[in-house]
Amino acid sequence: MTTDLDRATVEEAYARWAPVYDVVFGAVFEAGRKAATKAAEKIGGRILEFGVGTGIALPNYKRSNRFVGVDISEPMLQKARERVKKEGLPHVEGLVLMDGAHMGFADNSFDVVMAQFVITVVPQPEETLDEMARVLKPGGEIILVNHLGAEDGPRAAFEKWFARKARKLGWRPEFQFARLRNWAVQNGTVDLPIKRDVALGMYTLVRFRKRTQAEIAAASESVALAG
C-alpha cells in the first residue's frame, strides 16, 4: 500500500472540509495552534504559514509581524480571505494558492516557516520541507505542529490499518517523527529536529533551525575529514 497522497485526493478532501473545518477542528486543534504561534513569535519577523487553510490562526499573531499564507485548496483560501476582510488583519501581506513542493518565493525570504496540522497530509512531504528550508533565512526556524504516528505498539498497528481508509479523508495517520528526522539528515541545511509534546501528548511540536552557510561548510568539511 502506498503511504503517500496524490494532489487530486488532497484538493478534493479539503474542498469538502472547507465549509465545516472551523467547526469540526477549531477547538480540537486550539492548543496545538497556540503552542506553534508562541514558538513562532519568539522569533518573529516575516512569517510564512504553509497550509494556512481557513486562516483560523491569523488573528492570533501580533500585528508587529508580517504574514504570508499559502494553501493548495482554493475553497480553504477563500475562507481565509473572508476572515482577513471581516476581522481587519493588516499584518497579512497575502494569501496565495500554491503547491508546497514548488513555492514561488525567493530563497531566504522568511524568518519563520510554519505548518500547523499540515505536513502529514501534503502529497510530497520531503519536497515540501525542502522548499520550506529554501525560502527560510539562515538562523530561522521551520515550526511544525501535528499528530504524529506511533513508532511501535498497538497504536502504531492501528494507524497502519487505518491508513487506507484515512486516505479518502486526506489524512496520513501513520506518519512518524522518524520521517522528519531522516529528511533533516538528507537535506543538510537544517539542524536535527527538536520535538516536544503539547496538549497532554495529543500533538507534537517540531522545530528545525536553518544553518548558516558557514555552519553548512563546517559540517561538510567534518564529513569529508571523517571519510
Side-chain angles (χ1 to χ4, degrees):
M1 180 189 68
T2 180
T3 60
D4 281 318
L5 296 161
D6 62 87
R7 177 168 179 164
T9 297
V10 172
E11 288 181 342
E12 181 181 349
Y14 283 88
R16 293 196 305 267
W17 282 120
V20 298
Y21 186 89
D22 290 1
V23 174
V24 175
F25 297 112
V28 173
F29 290 160
E30 180 67 14
R33 283 196 301 270
K34 286 183 176 179
T37 301
K38 184 177 180 180
E41 291 201 324
K42 285 183 178 179
I43 302 168
R46 193 169 188 234
I47 299 172
L48 171 67
E49 182 162 338
F50 174 78
V52 68
T54 65
I56 194 170
L58 296 179
N60 298 335
Y61 288 92
K62 294 176 182 176
R63 304 305 188 259
S64 56
N65 296 308
R66 292 172 296 150
F67 190 95
V68 177
V70 301
D71 206 283
I72 199 174
S73 169
E74 180 60 35
M76 297 286 269
L77 278 174
Q78 185 56 40
K79 292 288 185 180
R81 294 183 187 113
E82 291 169 2
R83 189 187 302 274
V84 169
K85 183 177 180 180
K86 179 180 179 181
E87 301 197 23
L89 303 176
H91 60 305
V92 179
E93 291 184 2
L95 298 168
V96 187
L97 183 69
M98 195 174 288
D99 181 353
H102 304 92
M103 288 194 281
F105 301 115
D107 296 355
N108 309 323
S109 293
F110 298 95
D111 299 288
V112 181
V113 178
M114 168 83 74
Q116 302 183 48
F117 304 102
V118 172
I119 198 61
T120 63
V121 302
V122 296
Q124 300 171 291
E126 283 78 15
E127 289 85 347
T128 298
L129 287 163
D130 283 341
E131 280 291 272
M132 290 181 181
R134 181 185 67 78
V135 303
L136 182 66
K137 296 177 183 178
E141 290 191 8
I142 298 171
I143 299 173
L144 314 177
V145 63
N146 245 104
H147 165 82
L148 294 178
E151 301 288 336
D152 51 36
R155 183 161 73 87
F158 171 79
E159 288 165 344
K160 185 176 180 180
W161 170 83
F162 183 59
R164 187 186 300 274
K165 299 179 184 296
R167 291 298 178 270
K168 295 180 180 179
L169 301 173
W171 298 342
R172 193 191 280 111
E174 78 287 5
F175 192 108
Q176 299 174 346
F177 176 74
R179 189 164 178 176
L180 299 174
R181 185 176 59 241
N182 291 342
W183 167 77
V185 172
Q186 293 167 5
N187 177 269
T189 69
V190 298
D191 292 337
L192 290 177
I194 299 170
K195 69 173 182 175
R196 68 178 176 89
D197 289 340
V198 296
L200 301 176
M202 290 178 61
Y203 311 121
T204 303
L205 184 75
V206 182
R207 297 165 51 203
F208 304 85
R209 176 186 169 275
K210 185 173 180 178
R211 298 168 176 169
T212 65
Q213 286 300 315
E215 290 170 331
I216 293 171
S220 298
E221 183 178 354
S222 177
V223 170
L225 291 173

